[in-house]
Amino acid sequence: MLDVKKIRQDFPMLDGNKIMQGHKLVYLDNASTTFKPKCVLDAIANYYQNETSNSHRGDYDLCYNMDVKIEETRHSVSRLLNCENKEVVFTSGTSMSINLIAYGYGMKYLTENDEVLLTVAEHASNVLPWFKVSEIKGTKIGYIPLDESGRLTPENVEKSITKNTKIIAIAQVTNVLGYKVDIKAITKIAHEHNILVIVDGAQSVPHMKIDVKDLDIDFLSFSGHKMCGPTGVGVIYGKYHLLEMMDPLMSGGGMNAKFDMCGDVKYVNPPAKFEAGTLNIEGILGLKAAVDYLLNIGFENIEEYEHNLRQYAISQLETVPNIVIYNKEAEAGIITFNIKGIFAQDLATFLNSKGIACRSGQHCAKILINYLKEVATVRASIYFYTTKEEIDALVDALRKSGDFLDAYFA
Ligand code: PMP
């Protein structure tokens, strides 16, 4: 059981003094980014105040200590995912991670005879890098159909595979509909056909226990900032032999073993092969603090708390007149809705006037709007520090959106 009252004391943004439009801030945009606990802020400040140095670039203690700390972060991430330290590559976030895989693996191995399968629910970051591969290599892009509720099922994956399919690139939890995908069943089907499964974990890794070995995932990407960590840092997990096969996207210092005037270059082994230049050291140290913090709270507790809060939110939201909820049955703490007759962005602006932060628009999933048959939606997304009172504030405000509607048409 989570003691949310106590947990909230760890977060300066939740100190009760943050005011938006004259109201106490109610933050319901956690799928976009999350608040940071004090231990993360302290880790970053400590780096600058007490231990500033580059990593991998000096023979003095400060620098050596930084190397050790970076490897300790890799170890925290490997505990998080159940993988080996050498399978953890630091990037700037999910977008960078997926681009690196698309460029480093996709561009190298895919041809015009091959096909990459996506879904219409993917975030731009898991679509556009594959479009680029398609543009340059001629590789076909296919879409696995969602079922009538918007869920990706293993059955539809199986039906969509052709003899040309080489990669399935899908989110474990999509950022608008929030269904949890059965990755284990999908990797099993894919691997029987020698297809790689590349998982966008931006919305799943922060919220649930993930065992990459058990799920048999080939590549997994996620961002630190969506899981209490700093912005500008993220991870690729890759099976080691795949990391060895993949080309770097960026070249430079730290990733080469030697090079000569003729242009012969020998790279170092992964993960350093993909980490050219000075690392985002403050980000990596902050990420370690965030991962350790979440592991200490326990992902079982986080999942259970968010599940119960979601159920509560749905039960309350259903009582709001004229509400349309697009993903009532989804598992993740993402609730996507509209109020009939009010444009989503106007509704989010109205919520802002009550101190409530929700996202509206297409949420970077621009192909999904055809599926939803809506131009835009409002998204409320929770984390383990969200309270029932904050849900009540949302529901109360939405009940009053009828008054807003009167003003809107006046
Ligand atoms: N994939 C999904 C499912 C996301 O929700 C997001 C962030 N909204 C991303 C990828 C991109 O993450 P980032 O902006 O941290 O690179």
Side-chain angles (χ1 to χ4, degrees):
M1 270 285 280
L2 288 190
D3 184 348
V4 174
K5 217 166 157 205
K6 188 154 170 285
I7 281 176
R8 284 174 76 90
Q9 292 169 4
D10 296 337
F11 292 81
M13 283 294 291
L14 297 172
D15 63 7
N17 297 325
K18 306 292 179 278
I19 303 295
M20 207 164 73
Q21 297 274 327
H23 297 269
K24 213 167 97 178
L25 173 67
V26 172
Y27 186 72
L28 294 174
D29 196 15
N30 293 283
S32 176
T33 201
T34 56
F35 290 162
K36 322 302 170 199
K38 187 109 185 358
C39 60
V40 169
L41 309 181
D42 288 346
I44 296 168
N46 189 46
Y47 168 62
Y48 288 118
Q49 283 168 2
N50 301 313
E51 39 184 36
T52 303
S53 81
N54 211 326
S55 58
H56 311 306
R57 282 177 175 81
D59 299 307
Y60 47 91
D61 284 358
L62 264 184
C63 186
Y64 172 75
N65 289 342
M66 206 37 66
D67 286 346
V68 171
K69 286 206 153 189
I70 285 172
E71 288 322 297
E72 282 173 0
T73 308
R74 250 187 255 284
H75 186 60
S76 287
V77 174
S78 70
R79 277 177 58 220
L80 176 76
L81 303 177
N82 187 29
C83 64
E84 292 180 43
N85 291 6
K86 65 181 186 180
E87 293 173 317
V88 175
V89 177
F90 294 121
T91 66
S92 65
T94 309
S95 302
M96 167 73 173
S97 297
I98 301 174
N99 273 274
L100 203 161
I101 300 165
Y103 281 77
Y105 190 94
M107 289 293 183
K108 187 170 180 187
Y109 295 107
L110 296 177
T111 70
E112 61 186 16
N113 300 320
D114 296 329
E115 176 190 54
V116 175
L117 287 181
L118 313 172
T119 76
V120 294
E122 300 310 313
H123 187 279
S125 298
N126 194 30
V127 176
L128 301 190
W130 301 112
F131 280 5
K132 207 71 197 162
V133 174
S134 171
E135 185 186 318
I136 292 172
K137 300 300 297 270
T139 307
K140 312 282 176 301
I141 304 290
Y143 298 92
I144 308 164
L146 303 175
D147 74 4
E148 54 294 339
S149 59
R151 203 177 272 282
L152 173 61
T153 62
E155 294 71 32
N156 280 358
V157 171
E158 183 132 47
K159 277 190 221 147
S160 306
I161 289 173
T162 70
K163 64 180 189 337
N164 300 327
T165 310
K166 291 289 174 337
I167 284 176
I168 294 175
I170 47 174
Q172 186 166 16
V173 169
T174 54
N175 65 316
V176 179
L177 295 177
Y179 292 107
K180 283 186 188 165
V181 170
D182 185 349
I183 292 291
K184 191 168 177 174
I186 292 174
T187 55
K188 186 166 182 297
I189 295 165
H191 292 157
E192 280 162 10
H193 296 83
N194 288 324
I195 298 166
L196 292 187
V197 180
I198 299 178
V199 177
D200 173 351
Q203 299 294 350
S204 59
V205 176
H207 302 275
M208 58 197 270
K209 173 96 201 78
I210 288 171
D211 180 330
V212 290
K213 292 275 178 296
D214 180 52
L215 299 178
D216 205 10
I217 291 171
D218 296 301
F219 287 106
L220 173 76
S221 305
F222 60 94
S223 302
H225 71 97
K226 292 187 197 283
M227 51 189 295
C228 296
T231 52
V233 67
V235 165
I236 295 178
Y237 153 78
K239 285 182 180 164
Y240 198 69
H241 74 279
L242 294 174
L243 292 177
E244 284 181 310
M245 289 167 66
M246 185 160 94
D247 273 349
L249 177 59
M250 295 223 309
S251 301
M255 53 75 76
N256 68 81
K258 61 176 184 184
F259 56 93
D260 63 22
M261 286 170 71
C262 306
D264 281 336
V265 187
K266 190 170 175 342
Y267 301 137
V268 296
N269 291 329
K273 181 168 99 175
F274 304 105
E275 296 174 350
T278 297
L279 292 171
N280 176 1
I281 299 173
E282 59 161 276
I284 291 172
L285 300 184
L287 178 66
K288 177 178 183 341
V291 169
D292 292 349
Y293 179 81
L294 294 175
L295 285 172
N296 193 34
I297 289 178
F299 278 91
E300 294 78 8
N301 294 330
I302 292 174
E303 262 196 275
E304 187 193 2
Y305 181 80
E306 289 182 15
H307 171 79
N308 292 339
L309 190 62
R310 179 183 214 284
Q311 302 289 94
Y312 175 74
I314 295 287
S315 70
Q316 298 305 300
L317 285 167
E318 275 181 328
T319 66
V320 173
N322 295 320
I323 196 164
V324 183
I325 304 175
Y326 298 94
N327 60 344
K328 267 189 207 166
E329 305 299 326
E331 294 83 8
I334 290 173
I335 302 170
T336 299
F337 60 92
N338 268 322
I339 300 280
K340 279 185 209 149
I342 307 183
F343 184 55
Q345 256 128 359
D346 291 335
L347 186 58
T349 307
F350 168 73
L351 292 173
N352 176 58
S353 75
K354 305 283 177 210
I356 301 169
C358 280
R359 172 100 184 253
S360 71
Q362 298 170 352
H363 319 289
C364 295
K366 298 202 173 164
I367 325 179
L368 188 68
I369 52 167
N370 303 330
Y371 176 87
L372 290 178
K373 300 189 176 57
E374 289 293 350
V375 184
T377 56
V378 181
R379 181 184 72 184
S381 50
I382 61 171
Y383 208 10
F384 58 89
Y385 46 62
T386 310
T387 60
K388 276 188 171 174
E389 290 71 29
E390 289 178 311
I391 300 295
D392 292 342
L394 172 69
V395 172
D396 272 2
L398 288 175
R399 284 218 179 90
K400 291 184 187 116
S401 65
D403 308 345
F404 165 74
L405 195 59
D406 294 343
Y408 189 63
F409 288 120

